Amino acid sequence: MDQPAKHTLPERGYEYTERKVARVGVDYQVEVAGHYHSVPFQHARAQMDVRVTRTTVEVFQRGQRIASHVLRTVKGRHTTIAAHIPAALREVAGWNVDTLTARATAAVGPRCAVLVERLLGQRRHPQQAYRRCLDVPSLGQKCGLRARRRPAYAP
């Protein structure tokens, strides 16, 4: 009686997945469970669909997979595919080393710019530090630090 309805079993078993919507940062990374995974730089600031399985992270835009990574769970770290960062790329959506240091200097002062330069120098790909660098001036202002204006020299 069941013979006509019988089918062969699928080659792969069922795999539980979680889906979420994430916005790509200026550093062209999406955050999954505290870890950052890269996508091609053209998608910076775009909204993406992310599918997470037990072993992989896949990033989709309008149903088209644009990136796939082995799932990593170390919080605050980055998994970056070198092809996502072309050598000719010097700025992402208007952000670059000069913009970030100028913003830090204007908001808090020259010492803040030194901190931003150090943060950028700690990463293999400086773009991975953009998020931290964007937070530095606002953190300095929350702590009450402001850029000091030098008084005009009057002889």
Side-chain angles (χ1 to χ4, degrees), residues 26 28 41-42 84-93 95 127 130:
V26 297
Y28 38 90
F41 72 95
Q42 301 92 332
H84 293 167
I85 308 172
L89 182 66
R90 292 295 177 249
E91 54 183 82
V92 178
W95 298 105
Q127 294 83 358
Y130 281 9

Side-chain angles (χ1 to χ4, degrees), residues 3 7 24 31 45 50 55 63 87 91 109 113 115 123 132 137 143:
Q3 189 65 27
H7 298 285
V24 179
E31 181 267 328
R45 311 291 285 181
V50 180
T55 58
E91 54 183 82
L115 173 62
R123 300 291 182 159
R132 283 185 176 173
C143 294

Side-chain angles (χ1 to χ4, degrees), residues 26-29 36 38 76-81 85 119-120 122-133:
V26 297
D27 56 356
Y28 38 90
Q29 307 274 331
Y36 298 96
S38 68
R77 302 301 253 161
H78 294 79
T79 299
T80 303
I81 295 174
I85 308 172
L119 288 171
L120 292 167
Q122 290 175 346
R123 300 291 182 159
R124 190 169 130 212
H125 304 291
Q127 294 83 358
Q128 292 175 341
Y130 281 9
R131 289 178 196 235
R132 283 185 176 173
C133 293

Side-chain angles (χ1 to χ4, degrees), residues 23-60:
R23 183 164 301 281
V24 179
V26 297
D27 56 356
Y28 38 90
Q29 307 274 331
V30 292
E31 181 267 328
V32 175
H35 190 89
Y36 298 96
H37 300 272
S38 68
V39 299
F41 72 95
Q42 301 92 332
H43 302 289
R45 311 291 285 181
Q47 192 165 312
M48 301 288 167
D49 295 313
V50 180
R51 182 172 71 181
V52 182
T53 68
R54 187 173 53 90
T55 58
T56 62
V57 173
E58 295 175 302
V59 182
F60 295 87

Side-chain angles (χ1 to χ4, degrees), residues 77-155:
R77 302 301 253 161
H78 294 79
T79 299
T80 303
I81 295 174
H84 293 167
I85 308 172
L89 182 66
R90 292 295 177 249
E91 54 183 82
V92 178
W95 298 105
N96 60 30
V97 175
D98 296 332
T99 304
L100 294 167
T101 54
R103 182 177 177 197
T105 302
V108 182
R111 288 187 177 181
C112 187
V114 171
L115 173 62
V116 167
E117 289 172 0
R118 285 186 182 168
L119 288 171
L120 292 167
Q122 290 175 346
R123 300 291 182 159
R124 190 169 130 212
H125 304 291
Q127 294 83 358
Q128 292 175 341
Y130 281 9
R131 289 178 196 235
R132 283 185 176 173
C133 293
L134 290 170
D135 289 339
V136 168
S138 60
L139 180 61
Q141 289 177 348
K142 284 179 187 175
C143 294
L145 301 174
R146 302 259 188 252
R148 293 184 197 168
R149 303 283 180 219
R150 290 187 175 184
Y153 178 73

